[in-house]
Amino acid sequence: MRSLPAMAALCSSGLSMGSHTAHADPSTLFAPATPIVAAPGPTSFAPLVRKVVPAVVNIAVTRDSDSSTRKKLPSAVKGTPLERRFRERMRKHSDEVLGAGSGFILDPSGVIVTNGHVVEDADKITVALATGKEYNARLIGIDDLTDIAVIKIDSPTPLPFVEWGDSRLVQVGDWIMAAGNPFGLGSSVTAGIVSARGRDIGTGPFDDFLQLDAPINPGNSGGPTFNLAGQVIALNTAIVSPTGGSVGLGFSIPSEIVMPVVNALQREGRIDRGWLGATLEDITTHNGTRVAEVDRNGPAAQGGLKRGDIITAMGGEHMDTARTMIRAVAAAHPNSTVQISVQRQSQPMTLTIHVGHRPLSED
């Protein structure tokens, strides 16, 4: 419905409103069409599926239980076609099924990456390949702060595997494909785009998720997100949903965060993080982070850091927010020495601080 001011504008432009109504040239009313800035998405994801899905695994986690222990179904399979199958398995094996998840093989020797919450508290981890072949897996290590875990299966022959991609190159709007084991149904893929970067959903101090609109459901946890080259650019971890199913809000940990954690877990089975002993808060300019509190006997206090200081850089790298600083400190090697640039009452200074070990209570 056209508004009155618009009608007046048409009359004043010289178009007759009488019996011989003039028809405006559409080319004068609409912006000219411009070519798209990128090629359309793939006509089919089938070649990508064939390339990577053999390395995507389904994970079933059970805990030994006696007859006095009440058996529980994982929430991921309740109300799904898998509920009957899981109940029969529980009766047959006298195990308590804790959950079902996903993972991906990173090395032909059988190194598998998944989420920590998929395999924690497990007495038995069973990995099923896309072919249906099953293996018993052993836990290599879990990092609770990032919810990343590494498990290992042994195979007499090399296994299919996938490679890392660089999540730093991922842009909002890029096509992606997610793979996993939704609701315990088995190998499945979904496609979509990257909806946002740098999401903090309040799960931990290192939140820096990619937000995806590809459907992700319970059971997809631990599965990979691929770019169109078939490289893993993220680890599917969480959804936001009032219904328990996908509403187009999925969150994945970028590969730039997952890779170093996986490497450390493979080497040592644990993550030893740095610690300063200071509470940080953001400032309105996003040009540093303010020190809100300093532990009396912590490394920060011993190095001269004081409440009210504005930290602007660490090791020559700019620190724009508290989260950036927390992640930089955590990545520093305990017992190393770092240079921290601060503004104290508008006066710049550099402090030398000896990085400590992050206490277990901080995890």
Side-chain angles (χ1 to χ4, degrees), residues 2 6-23:
R2 193 171 291 167
M7 291 288 289
L10 285 174
C11 293
S12 64
S13 65
L15 298 177
S16 171
M17 300 301 292
S19 58
H20 300 287
T21 303
H23 295 282

Side-chain angles (χ1 to χ4, degrees), residues 30-351:
F30 302 104
T34 56
I36 57 177
V37 296
T43 56
S44 173
F45 284 89
L48 178 59
V49 172
R50 289 193 296 269
K51 176 181 178 180
V52 301
V53 162
V56 180
V57 303
N58 301 333
I59 298 175
V61 175
T62 59
R63 181 172 60 205
D64 295 336
S65 60
D66 55 34
S67 58
S68 63
T69 303
R70 183 180 178 184
K71 312 283 195 306
K72 294 181 180 180
L73 277 173
S75 59
V77 301
K78 289 182 179 179
T80 75
L82 268 293
E83 182 172 352
R84 180 179 176 183
R85 182 172 142 194
F86 269 83
R87 290 190 183 279
E88 291 176 350
R89 179 176 180 177
M90 289 160 59
R91 285 194 296 268
K92 181 178 179 181
H93 296 285
S94 297
D95 288 338
E96 182 180 354
V97 181
L98 298 181
S102 308
F104 55 94
I105 303 173
L106 194 61
D107 184 275
S109 66
V111 176
I112 296 172
V113 179
T114 185
N115 277 138
H117 72 263
V118 171
V119 295
E120 64 184 353
D121 300 326
D123 287 325
K124 183 179 180 181
I125 304 171
T126 303
V127 170
L129 304 187
T131 60
K133 190 170 184 178
E134 293 189 351
Y135 297 84
N136 291 329
R138 65 182 184 275
L139 179 65
I140 301 299
I142 293 179
D143 179 38
D144 292 331
L145 284 181
T146 57
D147 195 18
I148 297 169
V150 176
I151 60 178
K152 177 74 164 59
I153 61 176
D154 295 317
S155 170
T157 58
L159 295 166
F161 67 99
V162 289
E163 298 179 335
W164 294 115
D166 191 347
S167 60
R168 296 171 299 180
L169 303 179
V170 174
Q171 302 180 64
V172 174
D174 280 352
W175 280 102
I176 50 89
M177 184 181 79
N181 180 27
F183 295 106
L185 289 170
S187 179
S188 299
V189 297
T190 56
I193 63 170
V194 177
S195 302
R197 294 185 57 104
R199 289 299 198 213
D200 181 354
I201 60 175
T203 62
F206 306 124
D207 279 15
D208 190 17
F209 291 98
L210 296 180
Q211 180 184 323
L212 315 176
D213 75 345
I216 296 175
N217 289 289
N220 274 113
S221 289
T225 289
F226 296 101
N227 59 21
L228 294 188
Q231 300 168 326
V232 179
I233 50 92
L235 175 66
N236 301 329
T237 299
I239 61 173
V240 173
S241 171
T243 64
S246 173
V247 292
L249 284 172
F251 299 94
S252 298
I253 309 172
S255 61
E256 62 190 283
I257 295 176
V258 183
M259 285 177 60
V261 173
V262 168
N263 291 339
L265 291 176
Q266 284 186 263
R267 289 193 311 267
E268 303 177 13
R270 59 191 293 271
I271 303 294
D272 197 7
R273 288 193 169 88
W275 177 67
L276 289 187
T279 302
L280 307 176
E281 61 185 12
D282 288 334
I283 57 178
T284 55
T285 61
H286 295 289
N287 190 32
T289 176
R290 180 182 292 107
V291 178
E293 298 289 343
V294 178
D295 292 0
R296 181 177 301 177
N297 298 316
Q302 295 174 3
L305 197 66
K306 295 183 177 181
R307 179 179 180 181
D309 286 350
I310 304 295
I311 299 174
T312 57
M314 173 176 151
E317 296 290 331
H318 178 62
M319 299 291 122
D320 54 352
T321 64
R323 185 170 61 174
T324 304
M325 182 65 184
I326 290 170
R327 287 163 54 186
V329 172
H333 293 292
N335 297 322
S336 65
T337 299
V338 295
Q339 304 292 316
I340 294 182
S341 301
V342 304
Q343 292 278 342
R344 180 175 296 168
Q345 297 179 349
S346 300
Q347 296 299 316
M349 61 178 61
T350 300
L351 303 175

Side-chain angles (χ1 to χ4, degrees), residues 144-145 205 275 295 357-363:
D144 292 331
L145 284 181
W275 177 67
D295 292 0
H357 288 264
R358 186 180 181 93
L360 293 178
S361 60
E362 295 282 331
D363 291 357

Side-chain angles (χ1 to χ4, degrees), residues 10 15 22-29:
L10 285 174
L15 298 177
H23 295 282
D25 182 354
S27 64
T28 65
L29 300 178

